[in-house]
């Protein structure tokens, strides 16, 4: 959420606006807690999800996807922190904030299971319903790290220059996509056609390049 306008902002917002324009419609963005996204779509409260939703087999049973990025996750820490880990088990004994109901939360739970098996102190997972609260926890020094997508670090540094750093390599890259309910196949096909056009005309590459996120590129 852009603090100046209180409106949604970022690569996914711009991408969905570009796709809607090619479809001849205007995108209306609703901010819904992550764990409520799929139920809201199934209930017809929204038409599509664009919220770094990982395209995985279990979700494909109820949703269709138009993949638009290969998304990994990173550990984000305050710039002044000396924290850096090669994988999530390096966060043993640390307090880590994450968005609830997301795959990244499950990644932390899995890492904790491994730590317990190895007899090492687990991390303390703080799961919050939205990224804004998670960021506030990090800036207030209430947690050691924030586990999220790299765009969050880019955005935080755009708002508060040099405030955070990447405290890990990119971990667990997976495809993410725009998701629609199975019953809305025509909508899925229209979104796919518009996205293909964005790739073909260079707008997609330009959008990622502007944000410094070329590594997320999904090739045609």
């Amino acid at each position: 959420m852009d603090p100046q306008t209180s409106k949604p902002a970022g690569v996914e917002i711009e991408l969905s606006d570009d796709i809607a324009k090619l479809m001849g419609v205007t995108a209306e963005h609703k901010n819904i807690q992550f764990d409520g996204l799929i139920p809201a779509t199934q209930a017809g409260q929204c038409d599509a999800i664009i919220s770094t939703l990982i395209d995985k087999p279990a979700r494909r049973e109820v949703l269709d996807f138009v993949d638009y990025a290969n998304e990994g996750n990173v550990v984000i820490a305050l710039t002044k922190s000396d924290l850096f880990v090669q994988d999530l088990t390096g966060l043993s004994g640390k307090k880590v904030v994450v968005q609830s109901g997301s795959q990244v939360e499950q990644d932390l739970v899995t890492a904790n299971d491994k730590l317990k098996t190895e007899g090492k102190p687990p991390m303390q997972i703080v799961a919050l319903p939205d990224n804004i609260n998670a960021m506030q926890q990090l800036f207030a020094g209430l947690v050691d790290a924030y586990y999220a997508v790299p765009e969050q670090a880019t955005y935080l540094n755009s708002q508060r220059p040099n405030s955070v750093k990447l405290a890990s390599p990119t971990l667990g890259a997976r495809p993410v996509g725009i998701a629609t309910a199975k019953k809305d196949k025509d909508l899925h096909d229209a979104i796919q056609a518009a996205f293909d056009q964005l790739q073909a005309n260079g707008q997609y590459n330009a959008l990622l390049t502007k944000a410094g996120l070329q590594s997320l590129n999904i090739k045609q």
Side-chain angles (χ1 to χ4, degrees), residues 88-98 105 108-109 111-113 115-116 120-128 137 142-147:
L88 293 179
T89 61
L91 295 171
S92 172
K94 301 295 186 183
K95 193 172 183 180
V96 185
V97 67
V98 68
E105 181 185 8
L108 294 182
V109 171
N112 258 358
D113 291 341
L115 287 169
K116 292 173 185 176
K120 298 176 181 178
M123 67 189 89
Q124 183 180 344
I125 302 171
V126 180
L128 298 177
Q137 290 269 315
L142 299 176
V143 296
D144 298 296
Y146 172 30
Y147 188 51

Side-chain angles (χ1 to χ4, degrees), residues 43-88:
Q45 296 171 8
C46 58
D47 299 302
I49 300 167
I50 182 165
S51 187
T52 322
L53 189 70
I54 294 172
D55 177 357
K56 54 185 180 179
R59 287 176 177 155
R60 279 195 171 256
E61 293 179 6
V62 295
L63 299 169
D64 289 322
F65 282 84
V66 175
D67 292 340
Y68 61 88
N70 277 311
E71 185 73 78
N73 304 302
V74 292
V75 177
I76 301 170
L78 295 177
T79 301
K80 63 184 180 183
S81 169
D82 60 3
L83 180 69
F84 188 88
V85 299
Q86 292 297 332
D87 59 46
L88 293 179

